[in-house]
Amino acid sequence: MEVKVTSSTILTSPISHASDVPLTIFDRFALNLHVAILFAFTPPTSTNTDIISGLSNILVNFPTLTANFSTNSHGRPCLTVGGSDGGVLVVEATVSSKLEDHLPLTPSPDFRLLHPEVNDAKHLLQVQLNRFQCGGLVIGITSHHRVADGQSMGSFIVAWGKMVRGIPVDPLPVYDQKWLKPRDPPLVQFDHLGTEFIPLSPQPNEFKATPVYADPSEITNMLLHYTPEFIMRLKAHTNKLNTEKQTTFETLTGYIWRKVTIARQLDDEEGTMLIVGVNGRRRLQPPVPSEFFGNLVLHAYPKTKARALIEGGVVMAAEIVREAVRATGNDYFRSFIDLAEVYRDSDLVACHEKRGNVLSPNLEVNSWLGLGLDVVDFGGGGKLCGISMTWEHYEGLSILIPSLSPDGDVDVFVSLFEKDAMRFREISHSLD
């Protein structure tokens, strides 16, 4: 793939006076990295000028995306909005090939050319507009996870598209953080130190984290497609043995977990754990508005032994996922909020920062279902024809992505060692 950058510019912050926005406990827990995603559109599309103008205008409603990381007068991490080092990087590029030559958007190392570099990126939001020979467009977006979670970024991208098309942006993002108020007195009911954050003074047996690193060349990415018919068959298989129906997320997540465990050929008694993102907006009571912009996600950690997972089938796997996710409810989120009050000035380090780039025997599953990504529209008359990750060197990551079929298909991104991926492909659509 030949990609030629034709221009690069910085959209400055819409805020004229610099102000500091403290990072919340959820921001500090979020991954300290940029997340990259691609959106492909068939021609005709809106012009680059119109898309960039829409971005500039919508940033008035999403000012934290133009911020930069800093520390406030108390030495605590924060976002500085309106500072001279902020803004959004916008790159324009041309691609010598036709878009159709790259469809479907199956993850490829070449796709990293379609968005700005994420390592040591200066700007928290980066955009690259890639014009293909045929007139097709791929918009590569990278955003820093400590500014916003998946739901927030989905809302932003949908709103950006509305702005380009001249459609009123409604609802607008919400920044009110009254839900972050701790209880009086604060009550930390769960072991967040050792689960979300590394204990401040761990005892020898209290926290063990040995990062595992692998050569990126040993890790491959794949995108699997699951039809509504296949998902219905999975659900029928699980629901007939349960009084309560399993969701698509629970069923498909349990299914992928079990199949990956088989492909990895783990020892029978080896433990395997899922790391599953749980959105706190619907968990907290009273609920936080879905329009809240920022981070409000924790993890659930379903776990079992490899043999039990394999022999229990997808029924057992889905049930373990369900129970762990449901246990991460209002009490857990409130306890986490109170943790911020108890350790207000402490230098908390998220446990996942000690993982390395290999999760095996564990698996992380995130869901992009329901984030609105499949309705992103930048105008011009063309169609959204692809949503994809680019290429990950992180073994054990899986993401559920909405397919663009109106029937409810789901695409599943999976990153595994090549040797495990070969076995996984062979069994990825088997109901056994």
Side-chain angles (χ1 to χ4, degrees):
M1 178 183 290
E2 183 179 347
V3 180
K4 181 180 179 181
V5 172
T6 59
S7 73
S8 179
T9 187
I10 306 297
L11 298 182
T12 58
S13 172
I15 306 299
S16 57
H17 300 288
S19 61
D20 292 337
V21 179
L23 294 184
T24 71
I25 190 71
F26 293 93
D27 297 331
R28 295 163 72 183
F29 174 64
L31 292 170
N32 186 22
L33 50 74
H34 276 74
V35 177
I37 183 172
L38 304 177
F39 294 91
F41 302 88
T42 60
T45 63
S46 296
T47 66
N48 284 8
T49 299
D50 287 343
I51 294 172
I52 295 171
S53 176
L55 175 58
S56 180
N57 292 332
I58 198 62
L59 288 174
V60 172
N61 302 115
F62 297 88
T64 54
L65 290 174
T66 69
N68 63 283
F69 290 126
S70 59
T71 55
N72 61 19
S73 58
H74 301 289
R76 301 184 66 184
C78 68
L79 293 172
T80 297
V81 183
S84 58
D85 293 331
V88 174
L89 174 64
V90 178
V91 175
E92 297 179 72
T94 59
V95 185
S96 59
S97 51
K98 296 179 180 179
L99 178 58
E100 63 187 37
D101 296 336
H102 305 281
L103 295 177
L105 285 185
T106 303
S108 164
D110 287 344
F111 284 174
R112 288 177 292 183
L113 299 173
L114 299 178
H115 62 74
E117 177 59 51
V118 296
N119 293 325
D120 300 319
K122 181 179 179 181
H123 299 279
L124 304 184
L125 175 63
Q126 305 179 129
V127 173
Q128 184 166 317
L129 306 179
N130 303 281
R131 292 286 173 179
F132 285 72
Q133 185 186 78
C134 59
L137 172 68
V138 170
I139 301 181
I141 301 171
T142 82
S143 59
H144 202 288
H145 208 324
R146 286 194 171 168
V147 180
D149 57 23
Q151 178 160 338
S152 291
M153 286 308 300
S155 299
F156 162 71
I157 298 168
V158 170
W160 175 15
K162 288 182 177 180
M163 184 66 75
V164 174
R165 284 148 46 217
I167 297 174
V169 177
D170 182 37
L172 291 172
V174 172
Y175 291 92
D176 184 7
Q177 295 183 358
K178 61 178 178 291
W179 51 268
L180 262 177
K181 183 178 180 180
R183 292 171 289 193
D184 186 15
L187 177 61
V188 180
Q189 301 166 263
F190 300 91
D191 296 328
H192 301 291
L193 297 184
T195 302
E196 280 86 20
F197 293 108
I198 296 173
L200 299 180
S201 300
Q203 299 300 313
N205 296 322
E206 185 178 9
F207 182 80
K208 294 181 179 180
T210 304
V212 179
Y213 292 94
D215 187 329
S217 65
E218 299 176 4
I219 300 170
T220 191
N221 296 176
M222 68 194 88
L223 193 68
L224 307 167
H225 184 77
Y226 292 97
T227 65
E229 292 77 19
F230 182 87
I231 295 172
M232 287 179 63
R233 289 172 64 192
L234 272 184
K235 284 186 176 182
H237 186 58
T238 58
N239 291 336
K240 69 183 180 182
L241 298 177
N242 290 278
T243 57
E244 199 169 359
K245 291 185 177 181
Q246 308 284 356
T247 66
T248 294
F249 171 76
E250 293 162 352
T251 302
L252 201 50
T253 296
Y255 177 80
I256 296 297
W257 182 23
R258 179 172 177 269
K259 292 296 183 180
V260 167
T261 299
I262 294 172
R264 283 170 166 168
Q265 297 182 333
L266 302 180
D267 292 339
D268 287 352
E269 294 304 307
E270 185 164 9
T272 175
M273 179 179 73
L274 274 183
I275 303 166
V276 182
V278 180
N279 189 339
R281 292 167 179 80
R282 296 184 292 271
R283 303 284 169 173
L284 282 164
Q285 297 299 324
V288 175
S290 59
E291 296 80 25
F292 168 73
F293 191 85
N295 282 294
L296 191 44
V297 171
L298 292 178
H299 291 147
Y301 302 94
K303 60 185 68 174
T304 186
K305 296 291 182 66
R307 180 178 180 179
L309 180 65
I310 294 171
E311 293 184 350
V314 69
V315 176
M316 174 183 169
E319 186 60 28
I320 295 174
V321 173
R322 171 192 285 271
E323 290 179 359
V325 170
R326 289 196 170 186
T328 313
N330 178 66
D331 288 346
Y332 197 88
F333 276 86
R334 289 292 172 197
S335 175
F336 189 74
I337 291 169
D338 289 354
L339 179 82
E341 177 68 13
V342 173
Y343 295 96
R344 181 184 304 177
D345 297 319
S346 301
D347 184 17
L348 297 176
V349 177
C351 292
H352 51 66
E353 299 211 6
K354 300 296 183 180
R355 283 185 194 158
N357 71 332
V358 176
L359 272 181
S360 183
N362 303 323
L363 182 72
E364 179 175 348
V365 180
N366 294 308
S367 176
W368 290 357
L369 306 179
L371 300 184
L373 303 181
D374 51 333
V375 299
V376 170
D377 184 356
F378 286 91
K383 299 291 186 181
L384 177 63
C385 61
I387 305 172
S388 180
M389 299 284 288
T390 53
W391 189 260
E392 288 290 332
H393 290 148
Y394 186 65
E395 189 276 342
L397 175 65
S398 182
I399 299 176
L400 276 56
I401 304 173
S403 174
L404 300 178
S405 164
D407 300 324
D409 302 44
V410 177
D411 291 328
V412 179
F413 169 92
V414 182
S415 178
L416 293 173
F417 285 121
E418 180 64 58
K419 58 183 177 63
D420 298 332
M422 292 176 62
R423 292 187 288 266
F424 181 70
R425 288 187 186 99
E426 294 176 356
I427 61 175
S428 62
H429 286 76
S430 168
L431 291 173
D432 296 337

